[in-house]
Amino acid sequence: MSSSNRRVLLSLSGSAALLAASGLLGRTAFAAGKIKPNATSALVVVDVQNCFVTGGTLPVKGGEEVVPIINTLSGKFENIVVTQDWHTKGHTSFASAHPGEKPFGMKKMFYGNQVLWPDHCVQGTDDAALHKDLTLASAQLIVRKGYHSGVDSYSAFMEADGKTPTGLAGYLKQRGIKTVFLTGLATDFCVAWTATDARKLGFEAFVIEDATRAIDLNGSLAAAWKTMAAKGVKRIQSADLA
Ligand code: VGL
Ligand code: ZN
């Protein structure tokens, strides 16, 4: 090898090492300091449903404000997955399923502590439909979750028993997706659980904070950010994306 070729190789491997050290190789590239989604990236739009916006059964404050932000973000992604909270009537996560219990109380289930919610996102109802102003025609998959009547599923990957997969990880892996960018509702429940499970399952995970809104029940938002940071979930804003 000529010494000039060797120099080129050495300088290339130097920048590859830098990229690898910053955790960016093979997943995203920087364009003018921004993160650029590529063919191995997916936008995951969590639970942007009528139930979770103003007028819904479990409204998240400002929930509808994520819709235009997510619509704009969607143009930057060639892969988009949408999720829907999709409960049976009388689902075990509903306070109404437990005589004497009230919404926003807690109950110990076989799979751990469960917040008891108002009845919400019941399969086939208008309440459970995706927000009408989402313009995600290019989305490739809708994952429904929480459809087993005796167990909740905040995460789009795994039910709350910690062992029943939804199939999303297999889908993403078969499609060569390495990085997920999470948006939607609610930051501290379904977005956070999906993000931490993504890390457990070997994906890079970014939460796009301004494209989420939180329930924030008894400090749950701060706790969720802490857990996500500890698991290597990165917190970014929509303006950070190229
Ligand atoms: C959610 C509470 C109950 C969510 C779903 O989408 O964050 N929160 N079910
Ligand atoms: Zn739910």
Side-chain angles (χ1 to χ4, degrees):
M1 188 187 302
S2 78
S3 66
S4 67
N5 275 348
R6 192 186 304 278
R7 255 197 314 278
V8 168
L9 266 181
L10 281 173
S11 71
L12 274 178
S13 65
S15 52
L18 266 179
L19 278 172
S22 64
L24 287 164
L25 199 60
R27 134 166 99 65
T28 43
F30 275 124
K34 297 202 175 199
I35 301 164
K36 187 166 177 54
N38 62 23
T40 69
S41 314
L43 178 68
V44 180
V45 180
V46 176
D47 298 2
V48 183
Q49 296 166 264
N50 296 329
C51 25
F52 296 121
V53 303
T54 304
T57 47
L58 177 45
V60 178
K61 195 166 185 287
E64 57 282 349
E65 293 165 11
V66 303
V67 172
I69 300 170
I70 291 169
N71 286 344
T72 300
L73 281 170
S74 70
K76 301 176 188 283
F77 286 85
E78 57 188 272
N79 301 300
I80 303 177
V81 171
V82 175
T83 79
Q84 273 180 302
D85 209 36
W86 199 249
H87 295 309
T88 52
K89 249 187 243 168
H91 190 264
T92 197
S93 71
F94 299 172
S96 64
H98 307 277
E101 300 289 349
K102 289 201 177 63
F104 307 105
M106 291 283 285
K107 190 173 170 82
K108 206 163 165 39
M109 308 287 192
F110 76 89
Y111 52 83
N113 286 329
Q114 170 75 51
V115 179
L116 296 174
W117 302 107
D119 291 21
H120 66 280
C121 302
V122 171
Q123 298 174 2
T125 61
D126 282 345
D127 190 58
L130 294 172
H131 193 287
K132 66 171 174 32
D133 297 332
L134 274 179
T135 52
L136 299 176
S138 65
Q140 295 137 344
L141 179 73
I142 299 178
V143 188
R144 290 170 168 173
K145 61 185 179 63
Y147 47 71
H148 287 134
S149 61
V151 54
D152 207 358
S153 190
Y154 294 147
S155 167
F157 288 104
M158 192 70 75
E159 296 188 358
D161 63 0
K163 63 177 189 216
T164 308
T166 62
L168 178 59
Y171 171 86
L172 292 174
K173 286 182 183 180
Q174 283 203 307
R175 294 210 45 232
I177 304 296
K178 306 222 177 300
T179 308
V180 290
F181 291 82
L182 295 134
T183 61
L185 307 170
T187 328
D188 41 347
F189 287 92
C190 292
V191 173
W193 285 54
T194 301
T196 53
D197 273 355
R199 297 289 301 134
K200 264 185 222 161
L201 291 159
F203 299 95
E204 291 289 325
F206 291 82
V207 171
I208 308 175
E209 183 176 15
D210 58 320
T212 73
R213 291 293 182 278
I215 294 174
D216 203 11
L217 188 65
N218 306 319
S220 57
L221 181 59
W225 281 121
K226 202 169 166 202
T227 305
M228 288 192 279
K231 302 291 180 193
V233 175
K234 298 189 179 84
R235 179 177 183 169
I236 60 170
Q237 309 302 319
S238 55
D240 296 331
L241 292 188

